[in-house]
Amino acid sequence: MGSLTRREVLTALVGAPFAGTLLSCERAPEIPLEGELLGPSESFGHHLRDPLPVSAWANAPTRRTEVAIVGGGPAGLSAAWRLLRRGQQDLRVVELEPRLGGTSASGRSAVTPFPWGAHYLPLPPASNHALRSLLQEMGAIDDARPAEEVLVREPDERVFYQGYWYPGLYPYAGASADDLAQLARFEARVASLVDAFQIPMRLSSRAPELLALDEIDAERWLRDLGFDSPRLFWLCDYACRDDYGLRLRDTSAWAFLFYWASRADAEGESAPLLTWPEGNGALVKHLGDALGDRQKLRRLAVHVREEAEGVRVLLAGPDGDREVLVASRAILAVPRFVARRLVPQLELTTEGFDQGAWLVANLHLQNRPPGRGVGPAWDNVLYDSPSLGYVVATHQRGRETGPTVWTYYLPLCQRDPRESRRALLEAEHEVLAEGAVRDLERAHPTLRQHLGQIDIWRWGHAMTRPRVGFLRGGARFHAGAPRGRIHFAHSDLSGVAIFEEAFDHGVRAADEVMAA
């Protein structure tokens, strides 16, 4: 690939208007922003594009196990957790990366743990017995009530709007009577749908009139119902960018309503949020700790095939070493586009499966830069930014002053993810870090004075995105059906990249294996 200019990189990541805003802030040269450029093992994983022939494993050592799980993200770890608790001890989890967790990965500094991806979990309903069981096992809930230390501490969120921080997420400052009336009408509409949309999504209604919502985008749905408040549209667009990495105009109206209604009660009140300093890294750590020596890290599954002796999984290491894992059953807990390459003989469809890219930056601060308006919250959102703002890793510990880590999230919402993915993976640390800092400086002008370093994580294939038509007429609900002795578990199968869906698919696949 040819080298991209700073303007081309920023335009691909945040769009031309905002890139122009960042580039217009040219200033005298400063001390370069220090930090690391991190991310998944792209080059190692790309060996799947042109894999070695099966014959290359002719003399590789062979090991046997009852269940082979390919993928150590939330879905694969959840499958292993379920199998272990149902008595199946003979299993192996194979993971490409040097650590488990997938997009729920986390890091740790001398100050605090912090997330590199997903960072919260809504309290699951009582009907979600398996996930409740996991949270009870972790001590996160007791008698169906969240433990105080994991319930998001007040103040939970604030929004930077027209130069000031305001409490909450909706920008009430200056809202007209019509703005507020539309907000109330929207909330009432969501409350009327809470029985139809449930987490996990397989429990949602499949009524034809609801499935038809997948054929239009969320913006059209709002306009068809007479909504036109810019503030409401901003809130709804923010929600789509937050959970899906999509703009309102590109999001399936079905998925849009699922976002709101599945987490609300009959009065429209949202479920309480649970979080940890390291975000959902706490969840995958608990799941991974149960594995012991059943995990095989830095192993790329290249071929998976069902044969008379079982399912053969051909593995490659980063140094060219090879081995064969033969299992009675295999669970592919990987994105759909990866599963299709692993088992080409099954001719898995990738129609409706869309992967978006994200940038996550962790800013290590020596102290807190001031801002105008209400004080710091856990979640800090900028109204006029393509980013989602930042969360504060030390917030749950009640540390309001002194060193901390801010985790900044930028979903790349362009319609062609290949363009933004290319820009993200080609860009240098300086360009990405400078873009993030300049974005935040609009709310915190003295940010650089407090910044120690800024580390960047590039997620080229971060999460599945529910574009218009992603349900494929309802076929999506059956995407996880097993093929012979090969089972599937990943949030891709739902088209909704949230921990609850990954966990549910892992549990479902484990139960299929046990039933077989």
Side-chain angles (χ1 to χ4, degrees):
M1 293 183 294
S3 178
L4 297 176
T5 67
R6 180 190 296 263
R7 179 175 291 277
E8 287 171 333
V9 168
L10 290 174
T11 298
L13 297 183
V14 301
F18 197 75
T21 299
L22 295 181
L23 289 166
S24 69
C25 302
E26 295 297 346
R27 52 170 68 87
E30 302 188 45
I31 298 175
L33 294 169
E34 299 293 335
E36 294 185 275
L37 194 57
L38 307 166
S41 304
E42 296 283 346
S43 59
F44 187 23
H46 284 170
H47 287 306
L48 272 179
R49 291 178 173 176
D50 188 21
L52 292 170
V54 172
S55 59
W57 278 263
N59 299 316
T62 298
R63 295 174 176 80
R64 303 193 66 90
T65 187
E66 276 299 305
V67 186
I69 301 173
V70 179
L77 294 176
S78 299
W81 174 83
R82 182 72 159 191
L83 288 168
L84 290 170
R85 275 145 188 77
R86 294 196 61 186
Q88 178 53 265
Q89 303 293 314
D90 186 9
L91 60 88
R92 293 292 181 276
V93 175
V94 179
E95 170 55 42
L96 163 69
E97 300 298 333
R99 58 181 173 182
L100 301 168
T103 53
S104 289
S106 61
R108 177 182 291 271
S109 72
V111 174
T112 180
F114 51 82
W116 275 122
H119 58 280
Y120 68 90
L121 176 71
L123 179 67
S127 58
N128 196 336
H129 301 294
L131 189 47
R132 286 266 185 156
S133 176
L134 171 66
L135 292 172
Q136 288 175 339
E137 192 175 284
M138 294 176 63
I141 61 174
D142 183 22
D143 294 329
R145 300 182 64 178
E148 193 67 30
E149 62 269 21
V150 302
L151 186 65
V152 170
R153 187 175 67 84
E154 296 289 344
D156 55 347
E157 56 193 10
R158 62 175 179 167
V159 60
F160 185 73
Y161 177 68
Q162 295 188 351
Y164 289 87
W165 287 104
Y166 292 95
L169 188 56
Y170 182 85
Y172 283 96
S176 68
D178 183 58
D179 287 327
L180 298 178
Q182 289 197 39
L183 177 63
R185 184 159 65 91
F186 173 74
E187 291 174 340
R189 187 77 176 190
V190 168
S192 72
L193 294 169
V194 295
D195 291 334
F197 294 93
Q198 298 184 42
I199 295 177
M201 65 171 282
R202 62 180 174 79
L203 301 179
S204 295
S205 171
R206 303 183 195 183
E209 64 272 17
L210 292 178
L211 292 181
L213 293 170
D214 184 48
E215 300 171 7
I216 62 172
D217 64 76
E219 181 174 332
R220 176 181 165 186
W221 181 84
L222 286 167
R223 294 196 184 281
D224 285 350
L225 290 177
F227 293 108
D228 60 7
S229 166
R231 295 166 189 261
L232 177 62
F233 270 70
W234 173 83
L235 179 67
C236 293
D237 187 72
Y238 168 82
C240 293
R241 290 186 290 119
D242 181 31
D243 252 28
Y244 300 149
L246 285 172
R247 301 302 302 271
L248 189 63
R249 62 178 180 266
D250 298 317
T251 304
S252 157
W254 191 98
F256 170 73
L257 291 169
F258 174 83
Y259 171 95
W260 293 96
S262 64
R263 296 177 177 179
D265 58 25
E267 286 71 44
E269 293 294 324
S270 296
L273 299 183
L274 313 181
T275 192
W276 298 260
E278 64 269 48
N280 289 4
L283 294 164
V284 294
K285 181 181 184 305
H286 180 85
L287 292 169
D289 284 348
L291 288 176
D293 60 1
R294 300 178 182 88
Q295 54 187 289
K296 299 179 74 66
L297 303 178
R298 297 295 284 161
R299 289 293 182 271
L300 173 67
V302 180
H303 299 280
V304 178
R305 180 178 291 272
E306 182 176 353
E307 299 179 353
E309 61 180 324
V311 181
R312 292 176 64 84
V313 182
L314 307 188
L315 304 175
D319 299 323
D321 52 315
R322 304 182 189 102
E323 61 181 303
V324 179
L325 195 59
V326 178
S328 297
R329 298 260 163 183
I331 298 174
L332 301 190
V334 294
R336 187 66 160 196
F337 76 96
V338 175
R340 187 181 186 183
R341 291 182 181 275
L342 290 178
V343 286
Q345 68 276 11
L346 296 184
E347 298 182 342
L348 299 175
T349 181
T350 54
E351 179 188 356
F353 291 78
D354 177 73
Q355 288 274 330
W358 285 63
L359 178 152
V360 180
N362 271 300
L363 290 81
H364 298 260
L365 302 172
Q366 297 158 353
N367 211 330
R368 319 298 172 91
R372 296 191 295 177
V374 299
W378 167 66
D379 192 11
N380 305 265
V381 178
L382 281 64
Y383 181 83
D384 57 349
S385 169
S387 77
L388 303 175
Y390 63 91
V391 295
V392 181
T394 53
H395 182 77
Q396 285 299 98
R397 299 292 185 256
R399 289 152 58 179
E400 307 290 4
T401 61
T404 190
V405 176
W406 289 358
T407 306
Y408 171 90
Y409 293 90
L410 176 65
L412 308 184
C413 300
Q414 284 70 6
R415 288 181 169 175
D416 183 358
R418 293 171 299 181
E419 178 188 357
S420 52
R421 187 176 298 123
R422 176 196 174 199
L424 179 66
L425 297 179
E426 187 175 317
E428 297 178 352
H429 175 273
E430 175 198 359
V431 175
L432 300 178
E434 189 70 28
V437 169
R438 289 191 181 190
D439 185 17
L440 292 174
E441 279 180 322
R442 295 174 306 115
H444 301 286
T446 63
L447 175 61
R448 288 174 198 259
Q449 299 174 21
H450 305 271
L451 182 60
Q453 70 181 62
I454 173 171
D455 298 324
I456 305 289
W457 193 287
R458 302 173 296 179
W459 293 105
H461 297 275
M463 54 193 281
T464 187
R465 305 194 296 181
R467 289 183 176 275
V468 175
F470 86 108
L471 289 179
R472 296 164 45 235
R476 171 76 70 163
F477 290 103
H478 310 289
R483 299 286 198 89
R485 298 183 185 183
I486 299 175
H487 304 255
F488 302 91
H490 196 273
S491 60
D492 262 22
L493 302 173
S494 294
V496 179
I498 57 177
F499 182 88
E500 301 97 303
E501 294 298 328
F503 180 84
D504 184 66
H505 283 295
V507 167
R508 184 231 348 120
D511 288 347
E512 289 171 356
V513 167
M514 294 301 291

